[in-house]
Amino acid sequence: MALGIVSAVLAAAFIMTFYLICVTFRHCQSDKRYYFVLSLAAVLAHIAGYLIEITATSDGAALVGAKILYLGNLFLPSTYLLFVIDYCSINIKRIWFNFLRIILLGFALLFTIIVWTSDRHSLVFATHFFDAATPFRGMQSTPGPLFFLSYVQALSCVFAICAILVSRMVKWGRRYRKTLFLMLLSALAPMAADGIFTLSTVVLNTSGHTINLMPFVLVIVDVLFYFTVIRYSLFDFATVAYSAAIDSLEHAFIILDPDLSCAAVNASGKNLFSDITECRDGIPVSQCVGWPEELRDFAKIDIDDDTKFTMERENEIHYYSASVDEVRERGHLLGYTVIIKDISNMQELMDKLQFAAYTDALTGIYNRRHFIELAEKSFEKSRRQGIPSFAMIFDLDYFKQVNDTYGHAAGDEVLRTVASRVRDTVRTYDLFARYGGEEFAIMLEGEPDTDTVVAESLAERIRINVAKSPCRWNGIDIPVTISIGVAAAVGTPTLDELLRHADEAMYTAKVAGRDRVVVYGNYNQDEMGLLI
């Protein structure tokens, strides 16, 4: 009766251990699971061996059961120690870890061979025989010279396991301590049970009358392992935490397979592309609603640089930056990771900084530095294409008197008014800038049909639009006129020379009476006399 109950318990433990191995492989993705599974396999061997031993009807069958039991006994401490070292991330060089692994597993394998060849020597068992008359049937033996060597190895492993787990319980947070404590119990309980059985059978010579508690303790260990794996996420906690961290990212995080189908996406990615989860199983994300054109052809994407694009969301234009990285293993492309950041606030700040760097704060038009940069490009382009280009420089007449009479605030308002009127007169693609003080510059984009007459006509319209009505400031009408110099890029090798010619023409307009347009090189007799 007792034997039947014990056998049933052992059979249930065997099934539970096998189930736990399957659960670990199926639900745990961590690489740390492999040594854990090897430990469970050793538990499986121990339970199976003891079950065979106590149900055997012959000496040969009992001996096979004992050998299988010793197989589990020898490999369990070694594999569990390797698992604990790996799980606790002990800082040990890979070469030393490999050496330790060879020593531990090599010893277990060597001792297994010695046990399995015990019929030919007496190194482990001095004598052994099958006793079916005792309450718990099985192989009875007397220890040989190497019998206790396996216990020394097991105790050493358990001592190392305890030292590692206790040190980690002190250093790690409360979230891990329950897991580590269960792992510690899982190491100590089997060793204690096996020690009690060995003491009673070998030292006290009660073989056949004492049940081996270790397989039953391993049932408890199985339960502890089950709770550590399932309840406390022994392996998956880091994975779950990592997934939770990715999911809480403000940026969209998307994993694509080699076919550019969505393999995984976090909450921000789903918020950005509502139907992206439907782009699976060969359906590329390019078919997702709103997927940017800039990310459709991955072959053209520079993975060393971010890809910028815009999207309209809630009737507003948002700026985004996408970082694309290849995921490779041994040279084979496994997929891509895409991180998309909303840089609208940053872009807005950059736009403001750029605007401040490029524009005149008072008038809102280009400043001199940016004007020169753009004018250089325009000048070179016109010269390469053989298209004429023109520069204008104009100055406000009697502007010092405006400041002296009405104050600098009035002078600023006059400058803003003049800039606004000129901006409304020139073409949108012409370059217009505050050149310095009350002086302004214009670079006309050349066109094939543009000539000096056309440029002079535009300058005249500018002069008239500025002078047609006074500038209103605090109820006061301030009359404003300008003197404009025009120069054509004909025979001028540099932009500096072109602007110097326009400035000379403006000076001529000034000394000729102001409020007029003068074209460089096209002076009348009065203007020539003034120059002389």
Side-chain angles (χ1 to χ4, degrees):
M1 180 67 179
L3 182 61
I5 295 174
V6 171
S7 300
V9 172
L10 290 175
F14 183 89
I15 294 172
M16 181 183 293
T17 306
F18 184 77
Y19 170 73
L20 191 56
I21 290 175
C22 295
V23 168
T24 303
F25 263 116
R26 182 174 181 181
H27 297 287
C28 305
Q29 303 302 318
S30 172
D31 290 339
K32 299 178 185 295
R33 61 182 173 168
Y34 296 112
Y35 288 118
F36 180 73
V37 169
L38 286 176
S39 300
L40 289 178
V43 171
L44 205 64
H46 186 102
I47 294 173
Y50 191 56
L51 183 60
I52 293 171
E53 183 180 351
I54 66 173
T55 57
T57 57
S58 66
D59 190 16
L63 184 59
V64 169
K67 289 177 178 180
I68 295 175
L69 183 147
Y70 267 91
L71 176 67
N73 267 9
L74 292 166
F75 276 92
L76 180 57
S78 300
T79 54
Y80 198 60
L81 175 58
L82 291 173
F83 161 64
V84 168
I85 292 173
D86 194 30
Y87 180 79
C88 294
S89 301
I90 301 300
N91 188 17
I92 179 173
K93 290 184 178 180
R94 177 57 57 180
I95 185 172
W96 290 113
F97 180 76
N98 290 336
F99 179 73
L100 178 63
R101 180 170 56 184
I102 292 171
I103 293 296
L104 291 174
L105 298 181
F107 175 86
L109 180 61
L110 178 62
F111 214 85
T112 298
I113 294 172
I114 294 174
V115 170
W116 278 67
T117 58
S118 58
D119 292 338
R120 302 177 183 178
H121 54 76
S122 302
L123 294 177
V124 179
F125 306 118
T127 61
H128 62 273
F129 61 93
F130 176 71
D131 186 3
T134 55
F136 300 102
R137 298 180 299 175
M139 189 188 74
Q140 311 303 322
S141 63
T142 55
L146 299 183
F147 182 83
F148 289 102
L149 186 59
S150 63
Y151 285 92
V152 173
Q153 181 260 357
L155 282 172
S156 301
C157 288
V158 171
F159 178 80
I161 290 169
C162 293
I164 292 171
L165 292 176
V166 169
S167 68
R168 285 298 183 263
M169 288 174 68
V170 173
K171 292 181 179 179
W172 288 2
R174 182 180 299 176
R175 172 62 182 79
Y176 285 100
R177 286 175 186 165
K178 291 181 180 179
T179 301
L180 295 173
F181 181 70
L182 291 178
M183 291 170 63
L184 185 61
L185 286 181
S186 302
L188 291 174
M191 198 65 210
D194 197 40
I196 292 172
F197 179 73
T198 303
L199 179 68
S200 62
T201 56
V202 177
V203 180
L204 302 180
N205 196 24
T206 59
S207 299
H209 298 276
T210 304
I211 188 171
N212 186 354
L213 295 177
M214 185 171 177
F216 302 96
V217 171
L218 290 177
V219 175
I220 301 174
V221 169
D222 278 344
V223 175
L224 294 177
F225 277 159
Y226 181 82
F227 274 96
T228 4
V229 172
I230 303 301
R231 175 65 178 84
Y232 295 110
S233 302
L234 177 65
F235 302 106
D236 292 339
F237 175 70
T239 304
V240 171
Y242 179 77
S243 299
I246 292 295
D247 213 39
S248 65
L249 284 177
E250 181 183 356
H251 311 314
F253 184 84
I254 304 167
I255 300 176
L256 304 178
D257 62 22
D259 297 326
L260 302 184
S261 297
C262 178
V265 59
N266 68 349
S268 297
K270 294 175 184 176
N271 184 47
L272 192 60
F273 307 107
S274 57
D275 63 340
I276 191 170
T277 53
E278 298 177 11
C279 297
R280 299 181 183 272
D281 302 324
I283 302 176
V285 289
S286 57
Q287 296 186 21
C288 173
V289 176
W291 189 260
E293 188 68 31
E294 293 82 353
L295 296 179
R296 290 183 182 272
D297 190 353
F298 273 52
K300 297 181 180 178
I301 293 177
D302 184 1
I303 62 175
D304 295 326
D305 195 13
D306 290 351
T307 301
K308 305 293 194 302
F309 62 92
T310 60
M311 289 177 60
E312 184 175 347
R313 302 192 66 198
E314 299 176 354
N315 298 322
E316 291 184 0
I317 298 297
H318 285 249
Y319 294 85
Y320 294 93
S321 172
S323 173
V324 178
D325 286 306
E326 294 179 343
V327 180
R328 291 183 176 272
E329 184 178 21
R330 298 177 183 176
H332 297 290
L333 179 66
L334 301 181
Y336 301 89
T337 59
V338 182
I339 300 176
I340 300 177
K341 306 175 186 177
D342 189 337
I343 58 171
S344 299
N345 293 336
M346 184 186 302
Q347 187 65 41
E348 183 179 350
L349 176 61
M350 290 177 62
D351 290 344
K352 288 180 179 179
L353 292 174
Q354 188 178 57
F355 182 81
Y358 291 166
T359 59
D360 174 61
L362 179 64
T363 60
I365 60 178
Y366 289 143
N367 57 26
R368 177 171 182 156
R369 186 185 67 179
H370 192 52
F371 171 80
I372 294 297
E373 292 174 356
L374 298 179
E376 284 280 8
K377 296 177 182 178
S378 177
F379 180 80
E380 291 298 327
K381 176 184 174 183
S382 297
R383 191 170 64 172
R384 285 196 310 269
Q385 297 178 352
I387 300 174
S389 58
F390 299 85
M392 299 181 190
I393 292 182
F394 67 86
D395 186 273
L396 275 65
D397 298 330
Y398 304 110
F399 183 72
K400 185 176 182 305
Q401 292 182 12
V402 173
N403 282 331
D404 293 343
T405 304
Y406 304 105
H408 288 282
D412 290 345
E413 182 61 28
V414 169
L415 291 173
R416 282 192 290 266
T417 301
V418 170
S420 176
R421 292 176 181 178
V422 175
R423 187 166 47 203
D424 292 340
T425 306
V426 298
R427 298 167 299 186
T428 55
Y429 49 84
D430 290 329
L431 302 178
F432 176 41
R434 185 179 178 189
Y435 206 57
E438 68 270 25
E439 197 170 73
F440 294 82
I442 301 172
M443 185 75 179
L444 303 182
E445 288 284 343
E447 294 181 351
D449 58 348
T450 303
D451 57 15
T452 304
V453 176
V454 174
E456 185 178 5
S457 175
L458 176 60
E460 188 61 29
R461 288 202 308 274
I462 292 172
R463 184 192 67 80
I464 293 172
N465 285 340
V466 170
K468 66 181 180 182
S469 59
C471 172
R472 189 82 174 169
W473 181 79
N474 283 353
I476 302 171
D477 290 333
I478 304 175
V480 182
T481 61
I482 59 175
S483 301
I484 306 176
V486 181
V490 178
T492 53
T494 64
L495 175 67
D496 288 342
E497 190 172 355
L498 176 64
L499 293 174
R500 184 172 57 80
H501 290 171
D503 190 62
E504 183 179 314
M506 182 199 69
Y507 172 77
T508 303
K510 285 281 190 185
V511 297
R514 294 182 173 83
D515 190 20
R516 67 187 61 205
V517 175
V518 172
V519 178
Y520 177 80
N522 190 18
Y523 306 129
N524 57 36
Q525 289 185 350
D526 292 337
E527 293 166 349
M528 286 293 295
L530 291 170
L531 288 173
I532 295 173

